[in-house]
Amino acid sequence: MFFLPFFVAQAQAPEPVEIVRPQEVRVLPGQLDSTPVFNSNSPEKVLGEGILLSTFPPAGKTNPEAHLDFAFSGRFDLFAHHVAEGSPEDLRDLHIGAIAYNPGDEPVTLYFHHGASYLSQPDAPFVTLEAQVPNPRGTVYAGPGSRVMDDLLRRRLQDIFPKQLTIAPQSYEMIFDLPIPVKELTPPLNGRSTYLELTSTGPLHIASLALFEKDDAEGNLRPPTFEEWQALVETGDLSTPRDRVPSVPGEPGALIYGRVAGVSEGGTWRTQIYDTPTWDLTIPASGETFSYGISTLVGGSHGTGQIQTAEMLRRYPDTAYAAHGNYGVFYDLTLPLHNPTEQNQTVTIALETPIKQEATNEALRFFDPLPTATFFRGPVRVNYRDDQGRLRTDYFHLVQRRGQMGDSLVTLEMPPGDRRLINVQLRYPPDATPPQVLTVKTQ
C-alpha cells in the first residue's frame, strides 16, 4: 500500500474567482418610515457591567455623558443584540435588562405587539443549513437573530413577554431581565438577540443595562434585583471595554462602520415597485435581469448612490454614525409584474448577496467557488398567485455566503399580457452583512 509522506499538505480549496454578471441595478423606491428604534448593539461583546444604552435625561445622574435624553411615545421598536464571554475564573450569567421610566404625572401603558428573544445556546445554535430551505412552520433557523426575525415575520409575541405593562408616574418598571448563560458551554461564549414592536401611551425613557449574577446571603448566585437595576441607571457608567471607534464620515482613510448604540430612525421600508404610469413593473426582456438594492450603505450602493441605512437620532460619540445593516428593519416589497410581450415568459425572483461594490450599476459580481464567510442568514416570506391561480404564502430560510447568487423564491410562467402581484417580506437579520439585492430575471 502506498502512503503519502506525512509532510504533504492537504489540498487547498481553490481560490474564489469573480463572475461578472452584466445587468441593471436599480434604486429601491420608497424610504424608511419614521419609527424610532431603541438600538442597542455596542459593545456587542459585553465584558463589564454598566449601561449599554440609556435614553434617560442626564440631569441628576452620576455619569451624565452615559445618557442620551430621548423620550419614546407612540409606536417604537426595541432591538438589543449582545454577546457574553466567560472565563475559567468567572462563569456567572450575564443579565441584559431593559428598564423604562415614566417622567409624567399620569400612568403610561406599554403595549407589546410582536417580538421575541433567543439565545445562541440552546435556543438557536449556528447549525449548517442548505442555501435555501422551505420553512412553513418556522422550525428552521440558524442563530438567534435568524429565529427572532422569523417570529416577527409571523407576527408572533413570545410568551416570555407580557401583552402590556403599566408604569406609574415618576416610576421605573423592568421591560425585561434576560440572562445569557455561559457555565455549561465550551468555549464559554453565548449571545442573545431581542426585538420588540411596542407602543406607549405617553413618554418613556428606556435603558438597556448589563449586570452579572450576584451572591446571596447563603453564597449562592442570584439574578440582579430591581433595586440594583435602578441604581445602575442612576449611578452607573457605560459598559467597558468599548467597541472599535468608527471612522468619521467623509474623512480619508479606511471605512470603519462601527457598532450601533443609540436611537435610529426607521423600522419599516414598505413600497410598491413599478416603472410605468399604470403602476406596473415591466418584466425584464428575455434573457435579461435587473435588481434592487437591499440594505445598501456607504461603500456598498452598487453604483446606485442609494443609502438605505437608518439615520441616528441619538448616538454615543464612539459608536456608529448610522445604523449600518438596518438590523431588524422590515422590508415589505410589492412587485406588480407585467408581461407586455406576445410570448410566454418564465420569470424568477431571488434574494442574492453579490460582492459589495460602489462603482457601477451596470453589473453585479459573484464568486465561484464561494468563500466560507456567511453574509446572510435569515427568513424570507413571499405571497403571490401561482400559475394555477392559487394564492400562496411561502416561507424560506436562506443562508448565503459572500458573492452568492440566490435560488429562485418564485418562478412564474407568465402568458402574454399577464399581470401578477408578488409580495416579498424580510426582516433584516442581525449578524447579516449588507448589502443584498432582490433580483428579477426573465429566462
Side-chain angles (χ1 to χ4, degrees), residues 353-400:
T353 303
I355 302 167
K356 185 175 76 170
Q357 64 183 12
E358 184 63 31
T360 178
N361 64 348
E362 297 177 352
L364 290 176
R365 299 179 299 135
F366 300 89
F367 280 132
D368 185 31
L370 293 170
T372 57
T374 297
F375 271 40
F376 187 92
R377 187 189 286 112
V380 177
R381 177 173 63 195
V382 290
N383 302 283
Y384 64 103
R385 193 178 295 277
D386 67 15
D387 294 337
Q388 287 72 47
R390 296 170 300 195
L391 289 173
R392 296 188 55 145
T393 298
D394 294 335
Y395 289 86
F396 298 94
H397 188 277
L398 306 185
V399 178
Q400 294 186 354

Side-chain angles (χ1 to χ4, degrees), residues 43 45-52 94 210-212 237-241:
K45 183 182 288 185
V46 180
L47 299 178
E49 294 186 332
I51 295 169
L52 303 172
L94 176 71
L211 285 174
F212 289 104
D237 204 350
L238 292 174
S239 173
T240 57

Side-chain angles (χ1 to χ4, degrees), residues 4 10 36 90 118 172 176 181 185 262 264 293 347 377 394:
L4 289 173
Q10 194 171 18
D90 188 354
Y118 291 110
Y172 293 84
F176 59 76
L185 303 178
S264 55
V347 180
R377 187 189 286 112
D394 294 335

Side-chain angles (χ1 to χ4, degrees), residues 155-198:
R155 303 178 68 80
R156 293 171 176 168
L157 178 63
Q158 193 179 5
D159 58 10
I160 63 172
F161 298 107
K163 294 290 178 65
Q164 63 186 66
L165 178 68
T166 298
I167 301 101
Q170 290 95 52
S171 296
Y172 293 84
E173 289 287 346
M174 294 300 296
I175 299 174
F176 59 76
D177 172 357
L178 297 169
I180 307 180
V182 297
K183 293 183 183 69
E184 309 299 327
L185 303 178
T186 305
L189 184 70
N190 208 354
R192 179 180 284 279
S193 291
T194 304
Y195 202 101
L196 294 168
E197 294 179 339
L198 305 163

Side-chain angles (χ1 to χ4, degrees), residues 212-228:
F212 289 104
E213 293 178 303
K214 307 297 180 185
D215 290 320
D216 65 15
E218 287 75 39
N220 300 312
L221 290 173
R222 61 163 178 81
T225 65
F226 176 78
E227 290 73 22
E228 287 165 340

Side-chain angles (χ1 to χ4, degrees), residues 193 248 268 329:
S193 291
V248 178
T268 296
V329 165

